[in-house]
Amino acid sequence: MVERERAQLPVSPSGSTRSRQMKGAQNERIMVGALTALGAGIGGYVLGRLERIRFYGRKLYAGRTGRNISSLYVLQSSGYLLSLILVPYLVRVLGAAGYGVIAFCQGLMAYAAVLVSYGFDWSGTREVAARRDDPEHVSKVVSSIVACKLILAVISGTVLFGVVVIVPSLHAQWRLFGILYVGVAAGALFPSYLFQGLERIAWMAAISLCSRVLMVAGIFLLVTRPEHFVRYAAFITAQSVTLAIIGLVVAVVRLQFRPNMPSIEDVRMRFREGWVLFLSSAATSLITAGNSFLLGLFADFSAVGVYAAAERIMQVASGFLGPIGQTFYPRSSYLAKTSRSLLQANAIRLFKIMALIGGGFAVVLLVSAGPVVDVVLGSGFARSAPVLRILACFVLVNAITNVLGVQLLLPLGYDRIFLLILAVSGVANLVLAAVLIPRFQEKGMAAAVMASGALVLALQGGVVLRRNLLGLARAS
């Protein structure tokens, strides 16, 4: 199998004919029409509630929360704009197999990254935000988290080495695993939780954008042939290293971070605080992080490339909702301790916004999956269209579960229930993948992801309604 996959890698994409160009132009018109229809629908809703939106918009943007959302959207939008430029280039240069082998290796690296991050992005942000007026304590927190992450980086690297040595099908890609893991280890040094806890998200956005632009520029200059997939992996790692170095320098120079040697007790405390959140992240990764790796265990790299390209388009759409949930999590945690009624009102308002935007993106992807794939990925990825249709509704599911889980269950202290739901759904994803992939290949993987996401939604919704966490029973 390995030799067959390696032989597939240097396949170059075929040229376009005049008829295919005409078809592409027609597909572009269909996609534009779908986007226009979506915009008209959202515009009608917005115009109907214009006064309320103006009031809440002025109130929101006047504070730091509005600026943080704007900063995150600049970061997300620029990142996804770069992806929309980069992915079409990469899939055409590397081909389905070349793009797939990188996605396969990145899938395994995603599991390692979950172990290294350990949920500190949430627990660290919460601790820094609570003690933001005490620079000495903040420096102590950051130093202990960095120490924890370095310990976890060593552990995950050792485990990864053992897995690559033991599993024969992974031997051929040992260089890629090694290169990409350096980026995972470097990620342990970037203090994103410090920027978020101090609400200096604009700075984090600027640093991330600079590193991404440098990566994209390097890829366009030096990744020009199918056999250059190793260079592509090297640029991914270089971006992570650059991000970590600049982030640490800014933290020391501008955020009053003073590195110190943490005590063993501090390190133990950070591990205890992040334990449940780590398990939640690990369970979530069973649904979202390593699907390309799972698919690669049962299918060839071409199928992995087809799936990964469609998943990337879905992630671009879903990612536009990320800044909202990411920014409101500290606010929801604060309201959970000060005013449950305000938390409920905030969650209901956020639910409507997320459902509207997520549903709009889901409809667009569902209706125009064919044209989107043809325009973005090219004719060689026609198999990605049905995969994208299956994954389209995951955008809506992800938007709603963010509100129910991250904005309600976690702030209200239902950490263990939140973890149990994700764990059950993650195991369901693994089982469904093992059953469906051998028969349905990339479509089977997409169906497993969609089914497990729906299970998360059903279980979280059941808990929220049964315990009246939104206050709907009292309102009625």
Side-chain angles (χ1 to χ4, degrees):
M1 173 181 173
V2 173
E3 293 301 321
R4 175 169 57 86
E5 296 297 351
R6 294 178 68 181
Q8 288 179 351
L9 294 183
V11 177
S12 300
S14 59
S16 302
T17 62
R18 179 178 177 81
S19 61
R20 189 165 299 280
Q21 291 176 347
M22 295 176 63
K23 179 181 177 182
Q26 182 181 8
N27 287 338
E28 288 183 17
R29 289 193 293 272
I30 295 174
M31 184 170 61
V32 171
L35 291 171
T36 302
L38 173 64
I42 296 177
Y45 178 87
V46 170
L47 288 174
R49 297 171 176 258
L50 184 58
E51 291 305 319
R52 291 186 65 186
I53 289 174
R54 283 177 177 171
F55 172 76
Y56 287 118
R58 286 195 301 267
K59 186 176 179 180
L60 177 64
Y61 197 80
R64 182 170 287 177
T65 300
R67 293 193 296 273
N68 286 337
I69 291 179
S70 299
S71 298
L72 281 173
Y73 264 114
V74 169
L75 174 61
Q76 292 281 61
S77 300
S78 58
Y80 289 134
L81 177 61
L82 292 175
S83 293
L84 289 175
I85 297 172
L86 186 59
V87 172
Y89 175 78
L90 287 172
V91 297
R92 286 167 171 82
V93 171
L94 300 180
Y99 189 75
V101 69
I102 295 295
F104 172 74
C105 295
Q106 284 182 302
L108 183 57
M109 290 303 104
Y111 292 131
V114 169
L115 175 60
V116 173
S117 65
Y118 195 79
F120 291 129
D121 289 341
W122 296 105
S123 62
T125 298
R126 185 169 55 193
E127 181 67 17
V128 170
R131 302 287 295 274
R132 69 175 67 184
D133 296 327
D134 186 352
E136 183 178 350
H137 181 78
V138 169
S139 294
K140 187 177 179 181
V141 170
V142 175
S143 297
S144 58
I145 289 178
V146 169
C148 291
K149 286 193 169 190
L150 290 176
I151 293 172
L152 293 171
V154 173
I155 294 174
S156 62
T158 304
V159 172
L160 176 66
F161 176 78
V163 170
V164 174
V165 169
I166 293 172
V167 181
S169 60
L170 303 182
H171 293 173
Q173 314 305 334
W174 67 269
R175 283 191 306 165
L176 289 178
F177 287 125
I179 292 171
L180 291 172
Y181 184 74
V182 173
V184 173
L189 300 176
F190 181 66
S192 59
Y193 45 88
L194 175 62
F195 288 95
Q196 293 184 46
L198 296 179
E199 296 191 68
R200 295 294 185 267
I201 296 177
W203 297 2
M204 184 177 72
I207 297 169
S208 299
L209 178 59
C210 290
S211 63
R212 288 179 181 178
V213 169
L214 291 174
M215 179 191 70
V216 171
I219 289 173
F220 274 110
L221 287 174
L222 298 177
V223 180
T224 57
R225 295 200 299 271
E227 59 268 25
H228 287 170
F229 59 92
V230 177
R231 295 185 184 181
Y232 171 42
F235 278 113
I236 294 174
T237 292
Q239 191 259 341
S240 297
V241 173
T242 303
L243 182 65
I245 294 174
I246 299 176
L248 285 175
V249 171
V250 172
V252 171
V253 174
R254 301 300 301 273
L255 300 182
Q256 301 182 25
F257 168 51
R258 298 296 176 262
N260 57 75
M261 180 63 68
S263 65
I264 296 178
E265 184 57 35
D266 286 338
V267 172
R268 287 177 178 173
M269 182 186 302
R270 300 303 157 217
F271 276 125
R272 286 196 299 267
E273 289 175 349
W275 171 245
V276 174
L277 292 171
F278 161 66
L279 294 178
S280 300
S281 300
T284 302
S285 71
L286 296 179
I287 303 175
T288 60
N291 293 323
S292 294
F293 177 73
L294 291 176
L295 179 58
L297 296 177
F298 300 95
D300 58 32
F301 289 145
S302 295
V304 176
V306 166
Y307 172 83
E311 185 182 52
R312 186 57 181 161
I313 295 175
M314 181 273 292
Q315 290 171 344
V316 169
S318 185
F320 280 102
L321 297 166
I324 300 177
Q326 194 173 351
T327 301
F328 271 91
Y329 174 69
R331 180 66 56 89
S332 298
S333 298
Y334 173 76
L335 292 176
K337 291 180 173 58
T338 57
S339 175
R340 186 154 180 161
S341 61
L342 288 178
L343 173 67
Q344 292 169 343
N346 182 70
I348 291 173
R349 187 182 304 118
L350 194 58
F351 181 93
K352 294 177 181 179
I353 295 173
M354 298 283 270
L356 175 67
I357 301 175
F361 277 117
V363 170
V364 169
L365 292 180
L366 189 64
V367 172
S368 59
V372 168
V373 167
D374 197 47
V375 171
V376 176
L377 304 178
S379 59
F381 281 77
R383 288 164 53 194
S384 294
V387 176
L388 185 57
R389 289 191 183 95
I390 297 172
L391 294 175
C393 292
F394 191 80
V395 179
L396 175 60
V397 169
N398 190 48
I400 296 175
T401 55
N402 180 278
V403 177
L404 299 181
V406 177
Q407 309 298 334
L408 271 177
L409 294 181
L410 285 181
L412 290 173
Y414 291 94
D415 295 25
R416 297 187 183 279
I417 293 178
F418 181 75
L419 167 61
L420 180 61
I421 290 173
L422 293 179
V424 170
S425 302
V427 172
N429 184 55
L430 294 178
V431 173
L432 288 172
V435 172
L436 297 176
I437 291 174
R439 181 174 181 181
F440 300 105
Q441 299 288 288
E442 63 273 4
K443 288 184 284 188
M445 185 71 257
V449 171
M450 190 61 240
S452 58
L455 181 59
V456 173
L457 176 59
L459 294 176
Q460 287 186 352
V463 171
V464 169
L465 292 176
R466 185 177 181 83
R467 304 197 179 209
N468 194 33
L469 300 184
L470 284 173
L472 300 177
R474 183 178 65 251
S476 61

